[in-house]
Amino acid sequence: MYDPTVARLTYRALLGRRRALILGALPLLLILISVIVRALVGADDQTASDLLGGLALATMVPIIGVIAGTGAIGPEIDDGSVVYLLSKPVKRPTIIFTKLIVAIAVTMVFSALPTLVAGFILNGNGQQIAVAYTVAALVSSIAYAALFLLLGTVSRHAVVFGLVYALVWEALFGSLVSGARTLSVQQWSLAVAHKVAGGDLVTSDVSLPTATVLLVVVTVLATWYAGQKLRTLTLAGEE
């Protein structure tokens, strides 16, 4: 299910000079803001939770997920180079699964690690805040990568749709409409973070069992459907 050649090509596409600069900008900004906040406010648990929840988990992680998920396959479909990949004796589900693994790895590295560093800067992991939000970033990276990889497979405007979901649905509607939070990857990952941290600093509107089921179902279904769409794309190309 994992092809090293496909993975190498995908890593090369995702970590090219321009895209790597974009991927690295938000983590650097998060760490810089964390240093400034720590210098001005000191080690405060509530401030750390607010910053990691509002900037890291609600903004940085989904945007990086959009870049990594859509960038794993979208550009190849747009410029037609995917035809060369599909002509190789590699099963279509293997291509999707390999690209998903790469997208997950890139999203985790550029989101979870900076979240951990920022958390230790802000309050030294007091009340497990840094670890809790890092776990949330790791968990959400998987779901975001699967969702945005699917978007990259089915739409030429995947980046736009991904940003609309991440910044409008989750950030805007998620803060205003309580029902929308149930369909939010952010809230699902916060349920996991709440379990890790305990207490009231990290909260979620979704219970942990529900969040776990939804994370698994969305990841599996998005990956499966992306494989089916890629299979259809192959048939269209052959015809």
Side-chain angles (χ1 to χ4, degrees):
M1 291 297 293
Y2 181 84
D3 187 274
T5 301
V6 174
R8 185 173 63 254
L9 294 173
T10 307
Y11 275 119
R12 185 180 302 173
L14 284 178
L15 301 178
R17 181 176 302 177
R18 182 178 301 178
R19 188 169 277 113
L21 289 175
I22 298 174
L23 285 169
L26 279 175
L28 289 176
L29 179 62
L30 172 66
I31 293 174
L32 176 61
I33 292 176
S34 299
V35 171
I36 295 173
V37 169
R38 176 61 186 265
L40 295 176
V41 179
D44 182 79
D45 294 341
Q46 185 63 59
T47 300
S49 180
D50 291 342
L51 184 58
L52 293 179
L55 180 56
L57 195 63
T59 303
M60 182 185 70
V61 180
I63 289 179
I64 291 177
V66 169
I67 297 171
T70 61
I73 195 169
E76 292 177 311
I77 294 177
D78 291 340
D79 62 21
S81 61
V82 71
V83 174
Y84 297 99
L85 178 61
L86 298 178
S87 66
K88 303 299 180 182
V90 182
K91 295 180 179 179
R92 306 308 176 245
T94 298
I95 294 174
I96 289 296
F97 183 77
T98 302
K99 288 182 174 293
L100 174 63
I101 294 300
V102 173
I104 290 173
V106 171
T107 306
M108 285 182 172
V109 168
F110 283 92
S111 62
L113 288 181
T115 299
L116 181 64
V117 172
F120 272 96
I121 291 173
L122 287 165
N123 75 332
N125 195 38
Q127 298 194 53
Q128 294 292 307
I129 295 297
V131 172
Y133 278 104
T134 300
V135 171
L138 290 171
V139 169
S140 59
S141 293
I142 300 173
Y144 280 133
L147 279 173
F148 298 138
L149 178 64
L150 172 61
L151 279 179
T153 306
V154 302
S155 173
R156 292 181 177 272
H157 306 289
V159 174
V160 175
F161 291 139
L163 290 176
V164 167
Y165 171 80
L167 301 181
V168 177
W169 177 265
E170 292 209 341
L172 181 58
F173 284 97
S175 63
L176 299 176
V177 183
S178 58
R181 298 169 191 160
T182 306
L183 301 177
S184 167
V185 174
Q186 178 188 341
Q187 290 297 322
W188 304 342
S189 61
L190 280 173
V192 180
H194 173 70
K195 179 65 175 181
V196 175
D200 299 323
L201 283 175
V202 184
T203 60
S204 173
D205 293 322
V206 183
S207 67
L208 181 60
T210 301
T212 303
V213 170
L214 289 173
L215 283 166
V216 173
V217 168
V218 166
T219 301
V220 171
L221 286 181
T223 305
W224 172 81
Y225 192 60
Q228 296 304 306
K229 294 301 293 184
L230 192 63
R231 193 187 304 273
T232 303
L233 178 66
T234 305
L235 293 175
E238 291 173 350
E239 292 174 355

